[in-house]
Amino acid sequence: MTVQPPRTSAGASTTAAPLDVAAIRSDFPILDRTVRDGRKLVYLDSGATSQRPRQVLDAERSFLETSNAAVHRGAHQLAEEATDAYEDARAKVARFVGVGTDEVVFTKNATEGINLVAYAMSNAATAGPESDRFRLGPGDEVVVTEMEHHANLVPWQQLCQRTGATLRWFGVTDEGRLDLSDLDEVINDRTRLVAVSHQSNVLGTINPVESVVERAHRVGALVVLDACQSVPHGPVDFGELGVDFAVFSGHKMLGPSGIGVLYGRHELLKAMPPFLTGGSMIEMVYIDHSTFDEPPQRFEAGVPMTSQVVGLGAAIDYLSVVGMERIAAHEHQLTELALRELSAIEGVRIIGPTDTERRGGAVSFVIDGVHPHDAGQVLDNEGVQSRVGHHCAWPLHRRMGVPATVRASFYLYNELDEVKDLVDAVRESQRFFGVTPSAG
Amino acid sequence: MQLEQMYQEIILDHYRHPHNHGLRDPFDAESFQVNPVCGDEVTLRVRLTNPGTDATIEDVSYAGQGCSISQASTSVLTDLVVGRPLQEALTKEAAFSELMQSRGRVDPDEDVLEDGIAFAGVAKYPARVKCALLGWMAFKDAVSRVVDEVGAS
């Protein structure tokens, strides 16, 4: 069966009506399969990648069967249809996150989006005066946080290395919240850029982006938001947040892999030098020099991903019909239950906020006496697909004093019963490794 | 069921009661290895007698943190190589690596690998192969450092 639009509104719903999870699940063929000798699949790894509904798979297939062609090239009918499909999806993305269509750049993934900005900033060193505000050098500072995913950390380390700028960072509290007690000191007159995640992929913490943006803009610094874990899970409006750049990826929001989005404020994209150069991004090309197209095309060199973009558009349609508010409310319920049930197990410690205030559906934890890798193996044996390791946030794990964690992450298709499956599997890991608390 | 195939009693025993654990002096070379996927790490030292072509492994000591598979395989490693001629130890290292890369398609030779054959089940889980090889990589690296040094002097 197919998810029907809520009766109360034509588009995205803001009602608090609970999700019909069974109906949603029937759109995701993979959720019917079993794993490891006939175990029911309990997919709790949507923070790494989400599953895709039929509607997304069908949209990709239908595009490829009817309109496939290289976009922004050729005068034939297929090229026209393909270009329209591509640009329609861009408009959908823009509406979905509250920005202008010409402010949306398609990239391979979110990581490429962040690298695009970082390399454009290095390229500013040899560009004209219009790129001045992107130029970095010794004495300038770039600010990150201790909870960043490597994708929003390593590119900035590298940028600092290339330009001589200094990397600074905000710490994380014991509870797993961003420590902004030194906000005015860390973001200061030397700060040129602040890179921060909207929602931690490990802790689930939702950061007070508004405070960071306000301070950054007061000193003239740009803000890059990693929205990979927020855009798929609730209503997000980049315009309202006031960030200068933001990235997210298709595969974490029911869409295909190989497609990411970079949002950039139009006036910034207009002044920013390109990262990748070549076909499609030029205005005029001579044998010894070239000029570049307007954004967003300036940042989309080469024949772009097409069926993936169409698939992302279909994913946004799907999410919009269900309603982002309702998805957030559903995940809130799952998270609340998981936090309560996991905390109740002796020997289990949540890494991250234990309340649901400003917190999303990624729940990471450690089990005394059971290494996360071993716990993950037991969970897998029970059909529970979790993520184990440092989740590409090594400095954060070091800060929290654990080498690795087990992470369960939820999405609209998860049922409350699956939280019980997780809890049972955690207890089974304690039993298997002989660390079951004696009181039990 | 599958779980018991992977976590053989021998592996759990080595995990709970690791052999030759700790870092000891003197040593000829030390290697630090990390599994970038999960952050597990091991520091391993080797001490050789007669560093050269007829060297013998006098001691292997190690410390680190990691899952049961990585800890147990390092413990087994020390049992297999300490007191053995270098060439024999390297043969065992090659046999263990081959077993782990086999996806479970190689029948391990108990005469060569002893307790190491317990890891045949782990080889069926590609995500855990690196865990089993972490200590062995450190051993191979440390030994090659000593041999390089001897060759250079």
Side-chain angles (χ1 to χ4, degrees):
Chain A
M1 100 160 256
T2 299
V3 168
Q4 296 297 321
R7 260 171 277 161
T8 49
S9 100
S13 167
T14 53
T15 64
L19 297 189
D20 183 350
V21 181
I24 288 172
R25 287 178 73 85
S26 70
D27 288 331
F28 292 76
I30 201 170
L31 298 179
D32 285 336
R33 69 161 287 179
T34 56
V35 290
R36 305 283 184 217
D37 287 346
R39 293 273 179 179
K40 173 188 146 204
L41 170 71
V42 179
Y43 189 73
L44 301 183
D45 199 16
S46 296
T49 201
S50 63
Q51 299 301 345
R52 300 174 209 171
R54 277 200 188 85
Q55 289 83 339
V56 168
L57 305 173
D58 289 349
E60 279 200 81
R61 185 174 189 96
S62 155
F63 168 79
L64 291 168
E65 286 181 348
T66 60
S67 309
N68 186 43
V71 305
H72 290 304
R73 292 161 171 73
H76 54 75
Q77 184 175 344
L78 289 189
E80 234 173 70
E81 289 180 15
T83 304
D84 283 349
Y86 183 80
E87 292 303 330
D88 285 353
R90 194 196 305 274
K92 277 180 197 172
V93 170
R95 273 198 303 275
F96 191 65
V97 291
V99 302
T101 303
D102 56 2
E103 296 179 310
V104 169
V105 176
F106 286 124
T107 59
K108 179 178 74 180
N109 49 29
T111 299
E112 188 183 89
I114 293 169
N115 275 277
L116 190 160
V117 177
Y119 276 95
M121 292 185 76
S122 321
N123 293 344
T126 49
E130 73 284 357
S131 301
D132 272 354
R133 65 182 304 181
F134 299 106
R135 209 165 288 147
L136 286 185
D140 292 330
E141 294 180 358
V142 173
V143 174
V144 294
T145 86
E146 222 172 9
M147 69 167 77
E148 293 314 305
H149 187 284
H150 297 164
N152 201 28
L153 171 60
V154 182
W156 306 121
Q157 293 175 343
Q158 294 294 107
L159 176 65
C160 287
Q161 224 169 74
R162 291 195 297 274
T163 59
T166 302
L167 189 75
R168 304 196 55 178
W169 54 90
F170 287 113
V172 172
T173 68
D174 291 343
E175 291 72 39
R177 299 282 180 187
L178 193 59
D179 182 359
L180 292 180
S181 57
D182 50 1
L183 178 67
D184 291 352
E185 199 265 315
V186 174
I187 300 180
N188 57 54
D189 290 340
R190 297 181 298 277
T191 309
R192 303 294 306 280
L193 180 129
V194 181
V196 61
S197 55
H198 197 183
Q199 179 178 319
S200 163
N201 70 315
V202 176
L203 308 165
T205 311
I206 296 172
N207 289 321
V209 176
E210 303 83 348
S211 316
V212 173
V213 168
E214 198 206 336
R215 175 64 189 161
H217 284 176
R218 198 177 314 148
V219 298
L222 298 169
V223 177
V224 179
L225 186 72
D226 173 357
C228 286
Q229 299 289 339
S230 59
V231 165
H233 300 286
V236 174
D237 187 314
F238 293 144
E240 212 168 89
L241 285 170
V243 295
D244 300 289
F245 296 97
V247 298
F248 56 96
S249 47
H251 71 97
K252 290 191 202 291
M253 53 188 293
L254 313 184
S257 55
I259 181 67
V261 172
L262 166 70
Y263 154 71
R265 259 192 317 119
H266 186 68
E267 54 137 336
L268 293 171
L269 289 182
K270 220 174 149 51
M272 196 164 81
F275 163 39
L276 298 173
T277 55
S280 292
M281 52 75 67
I282 51 86
E283 179 188 48
M284 300 286 285
V285 176
Y286 304 92
I287 193 62
D288 60 347
H289 74 282
S290 303
T291 57
F292 308 126
D293 204 348
E294 290 294 304
Q297 276 70 34
R298 187 190 303 164
F299 302 102
E300 294 180 359
V303 177
M305 297 65 77
T306 318
S307 61
Q308 293 91 329
V309 167
V310 169
L312 176 58
I316 286 175
D317 287 342
Y318 190 95
L319 291 169
S320 302
V321 165
V322 176
M324 297 310 293
E325 296 275 6
R326 293 166 82 215
I327 293 172
H330 176 66
E331 287 186 37
H332 190 86
Q333 228 185 337
L334 291 162
T335 307
E336 198 165 43
L337 182 65
L339 289 172
R340 192 170 65 231
E341 296 279 319
L342 288 170
S343 305
I345 304 175
E346 200 181 321
V348 171
R349 184 159 58 94
I350 307 283
I351 305 298
T354 49
D355 59 85
T356 51
E357 189 68 21
R358 289 187 74 96
R359 190 195 200 292
V363 178
S364 297
F365 57 94
V366 290
I367 307 167
D368 288 346
V370 186
H371 188 279
H373 229 141
D374 293 321
Q377 201 75 52
V378 179
L379 265 55
D380 172 52
N381 201 56
E382 299 293 313
V384 178
Q385 317 286 288
S386 67
R387 169 102 183 250
V388 298
H390 51 57
H391 320 306
C392 300
W394 213 332
L396 174 64
H397 278 77
R398 222 171 268 130
R399 160 63 185 94
M400 301 311 281
V402 289
T405 52
V406 182
R407 180 187 73 185
S409 51
F410 306 116
Y411 212 176
L412 73 168
Y413 38 64
N414 288 121
E415 299 170 298
L416 289 170
D417 274 355
E418 292 180 301
V419 175
K420 303 265 190 220
D421 294 332
L422 166 70
V423 169
D424 289 346
V426 169
R427 289 191 192 278
E428 171 59 15
S429 75
Q430 291 181 312
R431 188 201 63 79
F432 188 83
F433 284 96
V435 296
T436 307
S438 52
Chain B
M1 279 305 112
Q2 288 186 340
L3 211 55
E4 277 80 12
Q5 277 171 28
M6 173 191 272
Y7 293 107
Q8 304 267 323
E9 239 356 273
I10 296 174
I11 293 179
L12 293 175
D13 277 350
H14 275 276
Y15 173 49
R16 291 182 187 122
H17 311 288
H19 304 177
N20 303 305
H21 191 263
L23 287 172
R24 288 178 291 276
D25 289 309
F27 62 96
D28 297 311
E30 181 178 280
S31 175
F32 172 74
Q33 297 290 323
V34 59
N35 182 348
V37 180
C38 58
D40 286 357
E41 53 188 53
V42 65
T43 302
L44 182 143
R45 294 172 174 178
V46 292
R47 170 74 174 168
L48 302 188
T49 44
N50 307 319
T53 43
D54 58 348
T56 299
I57 312 287
E58 187 182 310
D59 189 30
V60 175
S61 66
Y62 62 98
Q65 52 87 16
C67 63
S68 60
I69 303 295
S70 71
Q71 297 301 293
S73 84
T74 310
S75 170
V76 168
L77 157 81
T78 62
D79 280 354
L80 287 180
V81 303
V82 172
R84 304 291 173 89
L86 173 60
Q87 288 314 315
E88 191 188 333
L90 290 176
T91 304
K92 288 179 190 290
E93 188 279 325
F96 190 77
S97 289
E98 191 200 352
L99 171 65
M100 294 318 300
Q101 309 286 2
S102 73
R103 290 300 293 264
R105 285 188 287 267
V106 163
D107 265 336
D109 183 346
E110 189 166 3
D111 291 341
V112 178
L113 289 179
E114 302 172 34
D115 279 2
I117 63 166
F119 290 83
V122 180
K124 291 179 189 153
Y125 293 82
R128 305 304 298 273
V129 169
K130 269 192 181 168
C131 309
L133 289 176
L134 190 66
W136 292 78
M137 280 164 55
F139 173 69
K140 197 177 172 187
D141 179 53
V143 164
S144 70
R145 284 166 196 243
V146 186
V147 172
D148 284 353
E149 253 171 50
V150 172
S153 61

